[in-house]
Amino acid sequence: MAKKRGSKLSALVLAASMVLSACGGGSSGGNTAATPSTGSNGNAAAGGDAPKEVSFTIGYASGDPATKKAIADTVQRFMEANPQIKIKDISETTSAAYLDWLKTKDAVGEFPDLVEMRDTEVFADAGKIVELPSDLLELFHDPPKVDGKVWNAPLQVNSPQGIIYSKKAYEEAGITELPKTYGEFMEIQEKLKASGISPIVVGGKDIFHMGFWVNKFLIDQVYANDPGWNSKRTAKQVSFTDANVVQAMTDYKELFQNYVDKGWLSTGDNQTASFLVSGKAAQLYSGTWMFTQIAEADPNFEFGFYALPDREGNVNVIGLSSPAGWSISTEASKDADKVEAIKQFIRFFFEPENYSLYLASINAIPSTKEQVTYESSEQMQVVLELMADPNVKKSLAINNWWGENQIPPQFRNWYYKLLQELVAKDGVVLDYMKQADTEYDNQVKANAM
């Protein structure tokens, strides 16, 4: 097993490796916040006048506890440094999909002024968000564009997901080497199962969690070889019933039926860390944000991380950039004072002393040009090596593509629920993929009307 080691991360070095490898395809800490009168952090009026009071709302995906705390802490520090600006956090932690939550907020007239945007093209096309102000573009490394425009201040760079495993469970099951192929990984599952522990925990109660495993198999079988597959599916040139997709979903079904903890449909994403540290399960397939949660759940718990190879031993991971991050609502853009306050917050958020706290809280990779450092863990070091390795193929999840590759916005959650049913009812994969084709075409047609 890898020895524990620490390192300092540099945004400049990281950014260079990101470009080389991917261009082809919570604690509030001890920072001293700047006072309202100091440059970009302050808004004091000239001549000693009291600064003008401004308020705006903020909304973001809050299902992950570490991310929620990291953002909430930054908001609190900003308001302490800028008492003339009030930020109302309207984020809610629910099991509903974030896209659905945003649409509900929009329907009741509560769309956030500053919003974490993931389905950028959907809301840009609907006229709900505006381009990122040009004077903020200088903060970032070549952020992705939709229709030739930058709509987001990217919170971080997409980073690989993989197997987070209990070193104790592996040792007790007699596992001495990490798998070099998917076949070897399946052999490990048999050893874990024989040792009496649930091999894998899945937080299937939260629909977004389903995407971790589903996209692992889709990337290996589909996107790694054909990154334009979504656009071909929209044009009806490929099908969910094609052999590669059927194989991906067969692998998914086999894994879930044989090696995933039986209570996965009623287990929340926020319960998965406790399953690991308590010894109820040996592994979790998830992202870097879980490292902090696991360490906080039990500081003495020893765990490792690795990217799961495919059958041929190739490593394919999420790692391309996508248009996502802080966006300003169209309604907020009509208020000049509100826009200035939001811009002030965005600059504060990405200042190295603040941004480093956010990044460290969720073990994220910086998106900014300016150097940002924080101490990385053994697990995070593996992630950085994956991102810098040109032999590791970088891809995206089914719903993170954009432009011609964008899928109908409601399809992702429908598809994940279909796959939950596939396992629960022991369905025939080919029959369920025929349903996927029909639903996909119906949604494409409905969106075109």
Side-chain angles (χ1 to χ4, degrees):
M1 300 298 174
K3 294 181 180 179
K4 187 172 183 179
R5 59 190 185 274
S7 69
K8 289 284 184 178
L9 312 187
S10 164
L12 295 176
V13 174
L14 283 174
S17 67
M18 300 306 107
V19 172
L20 288 173
S21 62
C23 64
S27 106
S28 59
N31 268 20
T32 301
T35 62
S37 59
T38 55
S40 65
N41 284 344
N43 194 30
D49 294 336
K52 186 174 182 178
E53 292 191 0
V54 185
S55 65
F56 65 87
T57 59
I58 189 171
Y60 50 89
S62 56
D64 171 57
T67 304
K68 177 178 173 59
K69 185 177 188 303
I71 294 176
D73 284 350
T74 305
V75 169
Q76 183 60 38
R77 287 198 307 276
F78 176 79
M79 288 194 294
E80 290 172 356
N82 301 273
Q84 79 281 6
I85 301 176
K86 307 298 181 186
I87 303 178
K88 182 180 180 182
D89 189 339
I90 62 173
S91 307
E92 300 170 16
T93 302
T94 70
S95 59
Y98 182 59
L99 173 62
D100 294 335
W101 178 80
L102 277 182
K103 288 189 171 183
T104 299
K105 285 296 183 185
D106 182 40
V108 299
E110 296 178 0
F111 194 76
D113 295 321
L114 178 62
V115 56
E116 181 194 355
M117 189 51 57
R118 297 181 173 185
D119 298 275
T120 295
E121 197 160 1
V122 173
F123 288 92
D125 288 347
K128 296 298 178 182
I129 57 174
V130 296
E131 287 182 68
L132 190 70
S134 58
D135 57 335
L136 294 179
L137 294 178
E138 64 188 25
L139 298 175
F140 308 104
H141 287 286
D142 194 24
K145 297 178 180 179
V146 174
D147 295 330
K149 302 174 182 177
V150 176
W151 304 85
N152 322 103
L155 274 74
Q156 64 262 338
V157 172
N158 287 329
S159 57
Q161 298 168 2
I163 296 292
I164 303 171
Y165 66 96
S166 163
K167 292 187 176 181
K168 178 182 178 182
Y170 268 40
E171 182 179 351
E172 291 181 346
I175 302 162
T176 57
E177 293 184 358
L178 299 180
K180 297 181 178 62
T181 65
Y182 185 72
E184 290 183 6
F185 174 75
M186 294 300 276
E187 293 173 3
I188 286 175
Q189 305 320 295
E190 281 295 324
K191 290 181 179 180
L192 290 168
K193 193 173 182 179
S195 74
I197 193 173
S198 289
I200 302 166
V201 58
V202 168
K205 182 179 179 181
D206 295 306
I207 195 66
F208 73 86
H209 188 106
M210 296 301 301
F212 305 153
W213 273 115
V214 171
N215 284 294
K216 160 61 186 170
F217 294 119
L218 285 177
I219 288 172
D220 279 352
Q221 297 287 344
V222 180
Y223 297 124
N225 298 314
D226 189 359
W229 190 89
N230 286 354
S231 64
K232 294 177 182 177
R233 179 61 200 80
T234 301
K236 298 184 180 181
Q237 296 170 355
V238 295
S239 166
F240 283 96
T241 63
D242 290 345
N244 56 345
V245 185
V246 170
Q247 183 62 62
M249 296 303 96
T250 299
D251 290 345
Y252 151 84
K253 181 187 175 187
E254 177 185 358
L255 186 83
F256 269 62
Q257 287 192 325
N258 295 310
Y259 304 115
V260 170
D261 184 82
K262 299 304 180 184
W264 64 276
L265 272 172
S266 59
T267 301
D269 178 84
N270 61 1
Q271 296 175 278
T272 55
S274 66
F275 268 68
L276 280 185
V277 301
S278 66
K280 291 182 179 179
Q283 303 158 120
L284 165 68
Y285 193 90
S286 192
T288 60
W289 58 89
M290 290 302 302
F291 299 162
T292 299
Q293 293 185 49
I294 293 168
E296 289 179 348
D298 183 353
N300 297 316
F301 181 73
E302 295 188 356
F303 65 100
F305 174 86
Y306 61 89
L308 180 56
D310 65 14
R311 281 184 168 77
E312 288 73 42
N314 300 314
V315 177
N316 314 299
V317 299
I318 287 176
L320 295 179
S321 297
S322 59
W326 292 126
S327 294
I328 300 175
S329 75
T330 301
E331 191 63 30
S333 72
K334 299 174 183 178
D335 185 327
D337 291 331
K338 189 173 287 188
V339 169
E340 286 304 311
I342 290 173
K343 287 167 60 176
Q344 197 170 320
F345 172 76
I346 290 174
R347 288 191 176 277
F348 180 92
F349 185 93
F350 289 104
E351 286 179 354
E353 62 268 31
N354 299 311
Y355 193 35
S356 63
L357 296 177
Y358 168 80
L359 295 170
S361 296
I362 60 173
N363 291 278
I365 299 173
S367 62
T368 53
K369 289 180 180 178
E370 189 168 359
Q371 182 175 354
V372 181
T373 60
Y374 69 91
E375 186 116 6
S376 71
S377 62
E378 165 199 341
Q379 301 82 15
M380 191 62 195
Q381 186 62 35
V382 175
V383 172
L384 296 174
E385 291 168 359
L386 288 168
M387 290 296 286
D389 187 346
N391 295 316
V392 173
K393 189 169 288 187
K394 314 304 190 300
S395 187
L396 289 172
I398 185 172
N399 60 301
N400 290 146
W401 303 94
W402 70 99
E404 293 183 352
N405 262 335
Q406 184 189 29
I407 64 171
Q410 299 294 345
F411 182 78
R412 185 203 77 163
N413 291 339
W414 181 92
Y415 188 58
Y416 291 174
K417 291 174 183 176
L418 178 76
L419 296 179
Q420 287 182 328
E421 182 183 304
L422 169 66
V423 175
K425 294 187 176 181
D426 191 21
V428 177
V429 173
L430 184 59
D431 291 344
Y432 274 72
M433 292 305 96
K434 290 177 181 177
Q435 293 183 49
D437 270 338
T438 299
E439 179 65 20
Y440 192 98
D441 289 338
N442 288 341
Q443 289 195 22
V444 169
K445 184 177 180 180
N447 289 341
M449 295 176 65

